[in-house]
Amino acid sequence: MSAATITQPDTTATEAAPTTTSGDTAPGLREGAFGNARCLSCRECGHEVELGPHYACPECFGPLEVAYDFPAVTREEIEAGPRNIWRYKALLPVPTDIEQSPNTEPGFTRLLQAHNLGRELGLDKLWVKDDSTNPTNSFKDRVVACALSAATELHAKVFACPSTGNLANAVAAAGARAGIKTVVFIPSNLEKPKQVNSAVYTDRLVAVDGNYDDVNKLASEIAGEEEGWAFVNVNVRPFYAEGSKTLGYEIAEQLGWRLPDQVVIPVASGSQLTKVHKAFRELVDLGLVEDKPVKIFGAQATGCSPVSSAYKSGTDAIRPVKPDTIAKSLAIGNPADGIYVLDICRETGGAVEDITDDEVRQGILLLARTEGIFTETAGGTTVGVLKKLVETGQLDTSLETVVINTGMGLKTLDAVADEVGPAATIKPTYAAFTDAGIV
Ligand SMILES: *Cc1c(COP(=O)(O)O)cnc(C)c1O
Ligand SMILES: [Zn+2]
């Protein structure tokens, strides 16, 4: 894809919008549009491409990733920043004045020590990174904020995505706030609450008869045909994906600038897991935390577990599957970053594990009843996998562990609606209450 697909030729360049001729960025972009990012670099062959709406290596079709020239960054500078992801703007592909652009200001969510859940599972030191409190109640607000910045700098006219639900919510909300036209595509069988959570922000919600992989294919086709569209997870994916690094930065900062020993992360495309790992490495390289081994674990639902299957069978090849699980936000049958998840989990001494839909439901209830956090099916998957990793001895219970809750239970109420409810329905009398034997 050429840069021209998004960037409109700037025939009226003014002093207010200087264009760069340095060769680092596509024509028509202002200086510093991507902060300290230097170029896009191929994850497979290392080939470098100028910063722009590119996502596949022209040499080998491998995925492109943002590469940087980081300046010296101190803990104090970060701590003096805003209480959202822009405190890490020096480490993201965004301009230094990013706070000035209207955005949803996601991030800096709570890291809670989970004494009760830890005791229940036999873990000495357990933390929950709770991303359900982001502006649209999932971690997707982080990645979308970075994609919005790239779309803005590339002069995109339309902000769009194929989505399993949460991404559409985040894109629709961020687009509304930024005043850019949004078009979001979802599988037509998506949970009603997730549909409503997009449709309130945009009247261009498109339900597609097909699964996520079908929706994704359609998005790639539109991105190739239409001018000026920024598909957050397609043609600006390298910029989008970097937003997930902020989860890793925050975990380290909130632990008092140190890394945990083990992290359990849900896997859909696998992007988040690879970026949390990248974030930890960057913090070590920048001297912001001490180096130490961190085991990374991936969580999937059995009904869509291509990465876990490959991990267990000891192969490097991910065999795509047709998803069939209540964990719809994780239901990507052909995960783009699956092979990198395998590499990272194997190299760090972690694992990839999967659990049944019933265990997903139990995972939701376990977190709710031990920590007062209502997670969606993705978090139920992650907590359920954490439990299974302990029970199967794959996770070291003496090590400090962080489990990431990426979403909010109110979006997937149906998953547990039949499991819970009133203990009794009684007449409004004291006698009726005592008769019911509730306490
Ligand atoms: C998208 C999503 C994920 C997984 O993200 P990937 O980066 O695609 O692996 C996890 N949890 C929730 C709630 C999500 O919406
Ligand atoms: Zn390449």
Side-chain angles (χ1 to χ4, degrees):
M1 161 163 310
S2 98
T5 311
I6 289 186
T7 310
Q8 303 305 302
D10 189 357
T11 50
T12 57
T14 65
E15 280 160 7
T19 54
T20 173
T21 52
S22 69
D24 288 337
T25 47
L29 300 180
R30 65 176 177 137
E31 200 98 43
F34 300 107
N36 296 314
R38 178 172 54 83
C39 65
L40 298 174
S41 158
C42 175
R43 177 125 199 187
E44 286 298 323
C45 76
H47 180 75
E48 295 189 349
V49 176
E50 66 178 10
L51 294 163
H54 319 290
Y55 58 102
C57 174
E59 299 291 320
C60 75
F61 300 107
L64 296 173
E65 239 197 329
V66 179
Y68 300 84
D69 276 331
F70 287 133
V73 179
T74 66
R75 294 176 180 177
E76 291 71 27
E77 280 162 5
I78 292 171
E79 287 165 357
R83 295 182 65 80
N84 57 53
I85 61 170
W86 305 132
R87 66 204 279 108
Y88 309 107
K89 66 184 175 184
L91 310 179
L92 297 170
V94 299
T96 49
D97 60 356
I98 181 66
E99 299 101 317
Q100 261 73 66
S101 318
N103 70 87
T104 62
E105 302 177 9
F108 221 68
T109 56
R110 23 183 225 173
L111 180 72
L112 295 168
Q113 187 152 14
H115 292 291
N116 297 334
L117 180 58
R119 201 175 306 118
E120 182 86 18
L121 298 180
L123 282 159
D124 294 342
K125 220 181 261 173
L126 177 65
W127 303 82
V128 177
K129 177 62 174 166
D130 184 16
D131 246 23
S132 68
T133 60
N134 271 312
T136 68
N137 304 105
S138 86
F139 99 98
K140 290 294 199 302
D141 293 307
R142 298 174 183 275
V143 279
V144 166
C146 290
L148 177 64
S149 176
T152 305
E153 297 298 335
L154 292 164
H155 314 297
K157 289 179 300 194
V158 182
F159 195 48
C161 69
S163 171
T164 56
N166 284 316
L167 185 59
N169 299 170
V171 164
R177 190 156 159 68
I180 182 172
K181 184 192 282 185
T182 58
V183 185
V184 296
F185 298 86
I186 54 163
S188 55
N189 71 351
L190 196 65
E191 300 100 330
K192 185 84 177 170
K194 283 192 184 154
Q195 299 199 26
V196 174
N197 266 297
S198 289
V200 289
Y201 303 113
T202 178
D203 49 20
R204 294 188 194 85
L205 168 69
V206 183
V208 179
D209 286 327
N211 61 28
Y212 173 77
D213 298 281
D214 299 320
V215 181
N216 195 29
K217 220 177 291 160
L218 171 64
S220 297
E221 206 180 319
I222 297 171
E225 296 289 333
E226 298 287 333
E227 285 277 313
W229 284 51
F231 271 100
V232 301
N233 51 344
V234 182
N235 54 355
V236 293
R237 185 175 180 85
F239 303 95
Y240 155 94
E242 290 292 287
S244 284
K245 291 193 307 182
T246 58
L247 266 169
Y249 300 148
E250 286 176 22
I251 289 169
E253 183 180 350
Q254 290 169 322
L255 286 174
W257 292 108
R258 50 188 190 84
L259 301 179
D261 301 310
Q262 305 179 125
V263 190
V264 187
I265 307 173
V267 173
S269 73
S271 176
Q272 177 184 152
L273 185 145
T274 66
K275 294 297 177 174
V276 169
H277 179 252
K278 184 182 183 187
F280 289 162
R281 298 325 310 161
E282 285 177 350
L283 292 179
V284 170
D285 291 344
L286 286 161
L288 290 167
V289 298
E290 226 171 83
D291 197 4
K292 70 184 264 196
V294 183
K295 298 181 189 184
I296 313 262
F297 296 85
Q300 297 205 295
T302 308
C304 183
S305 51
V307 187
S308 175
S309 300
Y311 175 82
K312 290 176 180 176
S313 62
T315 65
D316 289 331
I318 308 268
R319 196 174 318 150
V321 300
K322 228 184 165 80
D324 179 16
T325 169
I326 59 167
K328 293 200 161 87
S329 51
L330 302 181
I332 297 183
N334 189 11
D337 293 305
I339 49 169
Y340 306 118
V341 168
L342 283 178
D343 285 349
I344 289 167
C345 294
R346 285 176 177 149
E347 272 168 25
T348 61
V352 190
E353 186 55 273
D354 59 270
I355 55 168
T356 65
D357 281 2
D358 204 48
E359 290 169 311
V360 171
R361 289 188 195 93
Q362 296 313 313
I364 293 174
L365 296 180
L366 179 60
L367 184 63
R369 295 191 168 189
T370 53
E371 299 300 338
I373 299 171
F374 187 18
T375 184
E376 68 149 84
T377 46
T381 303
T382 316
V383 170
V385 162
L386 169 71
K387 179 168 187 275
K388 186 167 179 180
L389 289 167
V390 171
E391 287 167 356
T392 53
Q394 298 179 81
L395 198 113
D396 188 333
T397 53
S398 70
L399 295 180
E400 184 165 44
T401 305
V402 176
V403 61
I404 300 183
N405 172 31
T406 48
M408 150 67 79
L410 292 174
K411 294 194 194 183
T412 58
L413 270 183
D414 282 353
V416 287
D418 291 339
E419 313 272 320
V420 295
T425 303
I426 59 170
K427 294 273 180 298
T429 66
Y430 181 66
F433 170 67
T434 51
D435 283 353
I438 304 292
V439 286

